[in-house]
């Protein structure tokens, strides 16, 4: 068998001098030659994989941990898989595709064939990717995965399963253990334990796919056999008090689960697709939410700006950013700060996600004359001090909101714009005159949520020079600046990220900005004025978090360019 170093040199991936230096360093540094070269950024993962494929004479698999079905990964016992650095990645036609760090390990192949009854087709993969796939496949937090396996193995007579809604609606003590009931409960509790924000159940052939949105990213969790798909959807509808006989139109509902002594609410939405009904559930953990401005992640500089804005007796404050950027949490935190016996605070929301004691919350309902614009007109007759409008999306809502801000009320709302300056252009696009915008707008808060580097597998990394240039320009990074990444581990399910951190761009209205808005100055000119007056852009705020070792350049660029 050819040596790996010789293959890498022959392919032109490294020079003989680099190979000699790496071999000399093997005594002092951990790891085999390939891993050492990777750490030094002398070769890419693909180049190492191609060389290993040639060395062992088997195909190379660029293994993505999230693509490995956990049910397949569990076909081999965990101890064996970890000790031998192998993971099953697929089965078919009587064969099991086994990703291996050492595909010439005949003992591992023989033992796997004996355990599984499949003929093994070895593939070569990088060891860290194999371990990450195993971490994800044997993650005990998402217990619903094993429930799926149990369901497939159990004799449920499921091929002929007919959903009996009356049975599902009246679950008794014995029926609580029914597989479908246990499965739905497992999906809900698994989402809570995983820190998930949304659950997606998507009908596909041959199986329904279940995904969790964790830290803003969707992750595949399991698949549900098609013959139980209808029963699962029906069970969720029963729990959410929805019409189980209607599957041709969208429905909305709400369910509550008591978990570990706490109550977690789920907002449920169903919609018909060509493959069946798609279900999305949003977790609303009211007990776990702490709407406190100081706990949002605002730095001292940004916190002072926000406090100064909301201390004003009247005017408009808008929070901007794409869906999922944390706008609602920011607005609820502002309302919680303003909440006092001396203030009449009224909101109109679509829907009301969290209920705040002491605040009058109205659910927007266009069918009954309570759309944002109409509701706002009625609220104005209720002697409000502070008004929160869930979103400004049309001319009527924008006009009424600006009028409220100009007539002695503090109004807080959201706009879908990319940055803080874009709020001015958006209001203008909605038909608001520039002089009214200048008179009403107190400030604009743009924000994003960035995934945070996992603390368990955090390591120093080389910065991506192209992304640095796109974010910062020609300015070189400071000499002492360190960049980090997450290698991928069990805690972060192989993603390298765990949790999220916010970044903010806060535009505070000044006389000079107001004059420029009245003159109809373009957004580029407004941004130039704001930066001169101390505006910290989202890109700058993101780079601050990179230098602090909390996130990566890749994450900043991805969130600001999407």
């Amino acid at each position: 068998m050819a040596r790996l170093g010789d293959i890498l040199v022959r392919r032109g991936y490294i020079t003989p001098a680099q190979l000699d230096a790496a071999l000399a360093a093997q005594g002092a540094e951990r790891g085999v030659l390939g891993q050492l070269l990777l750490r030094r950024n002398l070769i890419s993962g693909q180049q190492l994989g191609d060389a290993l494929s040639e060395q062992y004479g088997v195909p190379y698999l660029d293994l993505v941990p999230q693509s490995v079905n956990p049910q397949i990964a569990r076909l081999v016992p965990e101890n064996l898989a970890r000790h031998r650095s192998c993971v099953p990645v697929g089965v078919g036609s009587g064969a099991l595709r086994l990703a291996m760090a050492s595909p010439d390990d005949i003992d591992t192949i023989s033992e796997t064939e004996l355990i599984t009854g499949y003929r093994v087709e070895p593939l070569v993969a990088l060891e860290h990717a194999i371990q990450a796939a195993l971490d994800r496949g044997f993650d005990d937090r998402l217990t619903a995965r094993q429930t799926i396996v149990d369901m497939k193995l159990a004799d449920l007579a499921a091929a002929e399963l007919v959903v009996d809604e009356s049975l599902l609606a009246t679950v008794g003590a014995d029926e609580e253990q029914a597989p479908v009931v246990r499965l739905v409960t497992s999906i809900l509790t698994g989402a809570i334990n995983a820190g998930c924000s949304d659950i997606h159940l998507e009908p596909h052939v041959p199986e329904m796919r279940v995904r969790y949105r964790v830290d803003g990213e969707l992750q595949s969790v399991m698949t549900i056999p098609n013959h139980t798909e209808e029963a699962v959807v029906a069970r969720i509808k029963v729990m959410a008090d929805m019409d189980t006989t209607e599957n041709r139109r969208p429905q909305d509902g709400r369910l509550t689960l008591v978990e570990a002594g706490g109550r977690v609410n789920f907002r449920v939405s169903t919609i018909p697709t060509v493959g069946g009904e798609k279900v999305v559930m949003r977790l609303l953990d009211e007990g776990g939410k702490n709407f406190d401005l100081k706990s949002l992640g605002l730095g001292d500089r940004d916190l002072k700006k926000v406090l100064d804005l909301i201390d004003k007796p009247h005017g408009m404050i808008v929070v901007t950013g794409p869906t999922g950027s944390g706008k609602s949490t920011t607005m609820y935190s502002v309302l919680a700060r303003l909440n006092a016996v001396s203030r009449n605070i009224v909101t109109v929301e679509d829907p009301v996600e969290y209920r705040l004691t002491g605040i009058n919350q109205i659910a927007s309902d266009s069918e009954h004359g309570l759309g944002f614009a109409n509701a706002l007109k009625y609220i104005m007759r209720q002697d409000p001090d502070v008004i929160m409008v869930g979103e400004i999306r049309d001319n009527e809502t924008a006009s009424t909101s600006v009028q409220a801000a100009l007539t002695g009320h503090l109004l807080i709302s959201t706009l879908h714009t990319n940055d803080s300056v874009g709020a001015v252009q958006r209001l203008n696009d909605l038909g608001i005159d520039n002089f009214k915008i200048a008179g009403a707008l107190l400030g604009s808060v743009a924000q994003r949520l960035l995934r945070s580097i996992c603390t368990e597998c955090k390591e120093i990394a080389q910065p991506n020079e192209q992304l640095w240039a796109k974010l910062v320009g020609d300015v070189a990074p400071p000499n002492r600046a360190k960049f980090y990444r997450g290698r991928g581990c069990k805690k972060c399910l192989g993603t390298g990220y765990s949790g999220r951190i916010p970044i903010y761009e806060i535009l505070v209205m000044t006389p000079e900005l107001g004059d420029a808005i009245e003159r109809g100055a373009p957004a580029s000119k407004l941004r130039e004025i704001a930066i001169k007056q101390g505006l910290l852009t989202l890109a700058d705020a993101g780079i601050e978090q990179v230098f602090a070792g909390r996130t990566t350049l890749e994450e900043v660029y991805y969130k600001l360019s999407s």
Side-chain angles (χ1 to χ4, degrees):
M1 181 186 296
R3 295 189 304 176
L4 177 63
D6 294 336
I7 296 173
L8 292 168
V9 171
R10 177 165 46 77
R11 285 173 169 256
Y13 295 157
I14 59 173
T15 65
Q18 289 173 327
L19 173 61
D20 292 341
L23 292 172
Q26 268 192 290
E29 295 188 35
R30 294 185 297 108
V32 295
L33 177 63
Q35 297 300 321
L36 190 150
L37 293 170
L38 275 179
R39 286 201 302 269
R40 294 187 170 195
N41 293 316
L42 294 175
I43 58 173
S44 67
Q46 183 65 49
Q47 289 173 332
L48 176 57
D50 291 342
L52 289 171
S53 176
E54 178 181 334
Q55 182 183 30
Y56 290 110
V58 298
Y60 165 64
L61 176 65
D62 186 6
L63 181 59
V64 178
Q66 289 75 20
S67 69
V68 179
N69 188 326
Q71 300 165 39
I72 301 297
R74 290 173 182 257
L75 290 174
V76 174
E78 184 176 7
N79 288 340
L80 171 65
R82 290 193 183 280
H83 182 65
R84 307 283 179 83
S85 289
C86 65
V87 61
V89 295
V91 294
S93 302
L96 181 146
R97 300 173 71 232
L98 187 67
M100 309 175 67
S102 302
D104 61 343
D105 186 347
I106 302 301
D107 290 341
T108 297
I109 293 174
S110 299
E111 195 166 346
T112 300
E113 289 180 337
L114 182 64
I115 291 171
T116 65
Y118 286 103
R119 172 176 51 83
V120 168
E121 292 181 355
L123 307 168
V124 65
L126 302 187
E127 185 166 3
H128 72 271
I130 291 173
Q131 294 299 327
L134 292 173
D135 288 341
R136 187 174 184 278
F138 288 94
D139 178 21
D140 293 330
R141 291 180 299 172
L142 306 182
T143 57
R145 293 171 177 157
Q146 190 56 50
T147 304
I148 291 294
V149 177
D150 294 340
M151 286 186 63
K152 287 186 173 182
L153 296 177
D155 181 12
L156 304 176
E160 293 80 33
L161 179 65
V162 177
V163 181
D164 185 345
E165 283 100 9
S166 62
L167 174 64
L168 290 172
T170 56
V171 176
D174 295 336
E175 291 146 352
E176 282 290 356
Q177 300 306 313
V180 169
V181 176
R182 286 190 291 113
L183 171 60
V184 172
T185 302
S186 298
I187 292 172
L188 298 177
T189 56
I192 296 169
N193 295 335
C196 161
S197 63
D198 300 89
I199 307 169
H200 291 242
L201 289 84
E202 302 160 325
H204 294 290
V205 177
E207 295 176 315
M208 171 179 267
R209 179 173 64 178
V210 180
R211 295 192 290 175
Y212 289 168
R213 189 177 293 279
V214 180
D215 296 336
E217 301 293 321
L218 281 171
Q219 299 178 5
S220 182
V221 176
M222 68 184 82
T223 57
I224 295 175
N226 279 152
H227 57 252
T228 61
E229 175 184 316
E230 187 180 350
V232 168
V233 174
R235 173 61 184 163
I236 292 171
K237 284 183 174 181
V238 167
M239 295 176 70
D241 197 22
M242 298 161 72
D243 186 353
T244 57
T245 64
E246 178 60 71
N247 57 13
R248 293 174 296 179
R249 63 180 177 85
Q251 293 191 65
D252 292 313
R254 196 178 180 106
L255 66 87
T256 300
L257 187 72
V258 177
E259 172 70 6
R263 295 170 62 87
V264 181
N265 292 319
F266 294 79
R267 191 178 76 225
V268 184
S269 171
T270 66
I271 191 169
T273 70
V274 293
E277 283 190 277
K278 182 181 189 296
V279 182
V280 175
M281 293 181 278
R282 165 67 58 89
L283 276 74
L284 306 172
D285 186 3
E286 297 187 24
K289 276 288 185 181
N290 178 25
F291 295 114
D292 181 3
L293 275 176
K294 291 183 179 179
S295 66
L296 277 182
L298 287 158
D300 293 340
R301 172 194 60 226
D302 290 338
L303 179 60
K304 183 179 185 306
K305 287 182 180 180
V306 171
L307 292 177
D308 288 344
L309 284 175
I310 66 176
D311 194 43
K312 301 289 193 298
H314 57 81
M316 176 188 287
I317 302 169
V318 294
V319 185
T320 77
T323 301
S325 59
K327 300 188 299 295
S328 296
T329 300
T330 297
M331 288 205 302
Y332 278 125
S333 298
V334 167
L335 292 180
R337 179 80 180 199
L338 292 170
N339 195 6
V341 175
S342 59
R343 290 192 180 100
N344 177 22
I345 303 177
V346 188
T347 76
V348 54
E349 308 168 54
D350 182 21
V352 176
E353 294 191 358
Y354 297 97
R355 296 173 186 176
L356 304 178
T357 303
I359 292 176
N360 307 289
Q361 295 172 272
I362 300 169
S364 175
D365 186 355
S366 299
E367 292 184 6
H368 295 87
L370 272 181
F372 282 135
N374 272 344
L376 191 50
K377 291 176 183 177
Y378 290 118
I379 289 171
M380 294 287 286
R381 302 171 189 169
Q382 294 283 314
D383 186 31
D385 297 299
V386 180
I387 303 169
M388 190 269 268
V389 179
E391 182 184 352
I392 296 175
R393 59 178 70 153
D394 54 51
N395 171 264
E396 191 177 4
T397 306
S399 299
T400 312
S401 298
V402 168
Q403 191 62 32
L406 290 171
T407 54
H409 306 90
L410 182 63
L411 186 134
I412 304 162
S413 189
T414 68
L415 284 170
H416 280 286
T417 66
N418 289 329
D419 54 32
S420 59
V421 176
V424 176
Q425 183 63 53
R426 178 62 179 150
L427 289 171
N428 193 254
D429 291 342
L430 290 172
I432 308 302
D433 294 329
N434 286 324
F435 75 91
K436 287 186 177 180
I437 297 173
L441 192 63
L442 295 174
S444 172
V445 180
Q447 64 182 83
R448 297 289 191 281
L449 290 176
L450 306 179
R451 289 182 297 169
S452 181
I453 298 172
C454 176
T455 56
E456 294 295 321
C457 59
K458 183 176 178 180
E459 63 183 13
I460 293 177
Q462 292 296 317
N464 186 314
E465 295 180 359
Q466 291 181 333
L467 293 187
W468 174 265
K470 289 179 179 179
L471 287 168
V472 180
D474 296 331
V475 181
N479 291 332
R480 295 186 178 181
K482 290 184 179 180
F483 297 82
Y484 297 88
R485 68 166 187 175
R487 183 177 61 255
C489 65
K490 185 171 184 177
K491 177 186 175 183
C492 62
L493 302 180
T495 64
Y497 297 97
S498 179
R500 290 191 288 179
I501 52 174
I503 55 173
Y504 299 92
E505 176 183 296
I506 302 176
L507 175 72
V508 178
M509 188 59 63
T510 64
E512 186 179 353
L513 269 173
D515 290 342
I517 292 172
E518 285 195 35
R519 293 195 307 270
S524 57
K525 180 62 177 177
L526 297 179
R527 173 166 285 272
E528 181 183 325
I529 294 171
I531 290 174
K532 284 182 180 178
Q533 295 180 344
L535 176 73
L536 185 77
T537 68
L538 283 169
D540 292 337
I543 294 299
E544 279 189 350
Q545 297 294 342
V546 170
F547 286 159
R550 300 188 183 101
T551 192
T552 64
L553 279 177
E554 289 77 7
E555 179 68 4
V556 174
Y557 179 76
Y558 169 69
K559 284 303 187 323
L560 296 188
S561 61
S562 59

